Amino acid sequence: MIVPGIQEAWLLPVIPLGAFVIIALLHNFLPRKGDVIGILAILASWILFFFVLRDALIDYPAKIPGVNGYEWIRAGNFGIDVGFYVDQVTLVMLFVVTTVALMVNIYSMAYMHGEARYGWFFAVLALFAFSMLMLVLADNLLLVYAAWELVGVCSFFLIGFYWERRSAAEAAKKAFVTTRIGDVGMLVGIILLWRATGTFNIQEIIEAAEAGEIGKTYLTVASLFLLLGPIGKSAQVPLHVWLPDAMEGPTPVSALIHAATMVVAGIYLVARVLPIFEAATGVTTLILTIGMITAIFAAIVALAQTDLKKVIAYSTLSNLGIMMVALGLGSVTAAMFHLMTHAFFKACLFLGAGSVIHSTGTQEMGEMGGLRKFMPITFITFFIAALANAGVIPLAGFFSKDEILLALDKHANPAWFIVTLFWVALSGMYTARMLYYTFFGQYRGGGDAHGAHPAAMAVAPAGLQHAAVAAGSRGLHGAGDMPAGDVVHGTTIVATGGHDTHGAVGGDSHAATPAHDGGHGGTPHESPFAMTFPLIVLGVLSIVAGFVILPGVAEGIGLPDGFGALVFNLHEGPEEYHFSAGLATAGTVGVLLGILIAGFIVTDAARVRRFTASMPEFYNLVKNKFYFDDMYQWLIDRVILVLAFGIAWFDRHLINDVGVDGTSSLTSYLGFRMKFAQTGRIPNYALAIVVGILILAVVAFSTRT
């Protein structure tokens, strides 16, 4: 029997590709619309991964990297290969993608049951798995880019799955257009690197950059263009605006694409080509700065969100930013370790949110509360994942956060370290707020037509009403233990002067679709086993995944001397695990301080109102996400559309009417006039010849020297 190994890694994406073709073409004729085929395909890829891992770790690191491929195009000296490259970073990504994709596929069997496009949903999930696995395995930038764009197409399909709803269609277009901005820059960077080196192969480009074969200025420009792709795909400021709106897609999509896999494609690519960025001038510093801005910005915005999925979405943005910080410091170990642990606890959070939505029919936290009594499995797994997200010891997020703090302590200015501790505290704050409003207190749903219990309603103090009016709103209501100005039973966010109506801005349409109206207006209940099983698996991984950083644990499961000895910056070599009691204490104190501050505020409705009333301008700024969307809308309306109108006028009147139609009209007119010169009389022609000869003679004699 031939046991598949590292050279057969190409089978991992091929299997889900086959499933996509079968389900997409035949789902109307298949039992259960073909969902079982999609699940079996990703299960096969998941099992095959362990054979690849086993082969890679035999005589480690003798078989790494594993390279396999074939020639695709050859024209003279120009050639393009379809190549597969398996190293330590690839192995981590293969495990993350296949594991999360498998859990999401199983979860979707129950969550998406009854959907009109149930079969198409599983077909696109399979296509996405193929695209992401190809992206991870590709050994050249051209193949990476092809898979990169296919991932974007799958994201467009899944975000806009409920395309009948205008908000979902707009969110899909917003995601597609925003990420294309980064992707165009990435393509320019790829072309520049190919022009300088004559190859698309990533390792050959890295060797050329490190050997100084590419000029510093040229390499820096190419690197900056290339970086635009990860900034867009991993939703870094200022191209972050698409990710929160992507919550319009079904919740399993949020877990698979917008928490654990697609959005980390940018992180993966930066880790893969980090030596190129390090060889350029100032690019790693830029990565560090953008990452830190994104991490702090998103954590602050998460504090004011009322939609459960959007809180988790901004948490994702924040964590992606901190991964970029680690890469900016050159710590591939810390970045990839946090990528792995984050994938598990964030996927668990999104799937847990889906379980809550399935049960209550809403995703507004103002209509939740007290759900721990009704949904014990969802609560326990969500609670574990939330604390892991905050970085509470000894959960997975603690160990990966600790590695980032260690990298900051070793490589960065102390100011960056202090800012990161502030990020840790903010993570604890929005996590505690989210947990309290969702699972603690009294259940606020099912009371009236809007789903809010009358006992949970309260009118804000007059002082805050005045602050709200000053901010441009018409009034202010607050749920009994929701921050003043947050959405209450799907009405208006009056403290910001805006509105966030349930079902119009939120992600799923469960409140409107009978297939998902699990308990809205009634008593919430636990989700079926097909949904709770993935939660349990991901909850367990949120506990244990962090321990692989420890050498003893890693060796016990067959890994070489800890995660840092497996995944590391090639320049610096394997990272030996080092536990710093001081850093661990600082991080733990930071997160506990954030949890305590949030707990102190949110458990008292009057205190919440006083807190928001004390800073109405800042609250409005945060609630409106620092007005990024408004700024972009203004730029589109006042700059881009104006320029487009001017260009359209120039094209229509000067290019078309003058340049194209004008020349044809002139030719037609001259032809019309010249035809009268043809009289048909020989004396006229003879006279014309004589006159012409005389003119030529005069010209000839007058120009003689």
Side-chain angles (χ1 to χ4, degrees), residues 437-458:
Y437 289 146
T438 306
F439 292 101
F440 293 90
Q442 296 298 316
Y443 180 55
R444 297 179 292 275
D448 58 14
H450 296 289
H453 195 283
M457 303 297 294

Side-chain angles (χ1 to χ4, degrees), residues 16 35-50 93-110 121-122 125-126 128-129 133 252 255-257 260-261 344 347 351 529-531 533-535 537-538 541:
D35 60 351
V36 175
I37 294 176
I39 293 171
L40 291 177
I42 197 63
L43 175 62
S45 295
W46 183 74
I47 293 172
L48 182 60
F49 159 75
F50 288 98
M93 290 297 297
L94 291 176
F95 177 57
V96 167
V97 173
T98 55
T99 301
V100 175
L102 178 60
M103 294 300 103
V104 167
N105 272 265
I106 294 172
Y107 181 94
S108 298
M109 291 177 66
F121 179 82
F122 277 89
L125 285 185
F128 172 80
L133 291 170
L256 176 64
I257 293 182
T261 51
F344 299 140
L351 295 185
F529 180 71
M531 292 171 64
F533 172 73
L535 289 176
V537 172
L538 292 168
L541 288 172

Side-chain angles (χ1 to χ4, degrees), residues 341 344-345 348 384-385 388 395-397 537-546:
T341 61
F344 299 140
F345 60 69
C348 187
I384 290 170
L395 303 176
V537 172
L538 292 168
V540 171
L541 288 172
S542 299
I543 297 173
V544 304

Side-chain angles (χ1 to χ4, degrees), residues 9 121 227 242 300 384 446 491 530:
F121 179 82
L227 182 61
W242 68 270
I300 292 174
I384 290 170
T491 54

Side-chain angles (χ1 to χ4, degrees), residues 237 240 244 293-307 310-315 317-318 365 422-423 426-427 429-430 433 486 618-629:
V237 173
H240 66 283
I293 291 171
T294 303
I296 297 298
F297 159 79
I300 292 174
V301 174
L303 289 169
Q305 297 302 301
T306 62
D307 182 313
K310 287 196 175 182
V311 175
I312 304 173
Y314 277 102
S315 171
L317 277 172
S318 186
M365 293 188 296
F422 178 56
W423 168 80
L426 289 173
S427 300
M429 291 176 69
Y430 69 68
R433 175 181 179 269
D486 282 358
F618 182 70
Y619 180 76
N620 287 337
L621 181 67
V622 175
K623 192 67 185 178
N624 286 283
K625 308 156 196 172
F626 287 75
Y627 296 100
F628 268 99
D629 286 299

Side-chain angles (χ1 to χ4, degrees), residues 134-170:
M134 279 296 296
L135 192 158
V136 169
L137 287 166
D139 74 340
N140 67 82
L141 288 175
L142 197 61
L143 189 57
V144 165
Y145 190 75
W148 186 277
E149 291 303 296
L150 193 53
V151 164
V153 170
C154 293
S155 175
F156 175 79
F157 288 153
L158 291 169
I159 295 171
F161 184 77
Y162 299 116
W163 53 265
E164 304 92 338
R165 199 170 66 238
R166 180 177 175 82
S167 57
E170 292 296 327

Side-chain angles (χ1 to χ4, degrees), residues 312-332:
I312 304 173
Y314 277 102
S315 171
T316 301
L317 277 172
S318 186
N319 279 277
L320 291 169
I322 213 68
M323 293 177 210
M324 282 290 191
V325 168
L327 289 171
L329 296 169
S331 180
V332 176

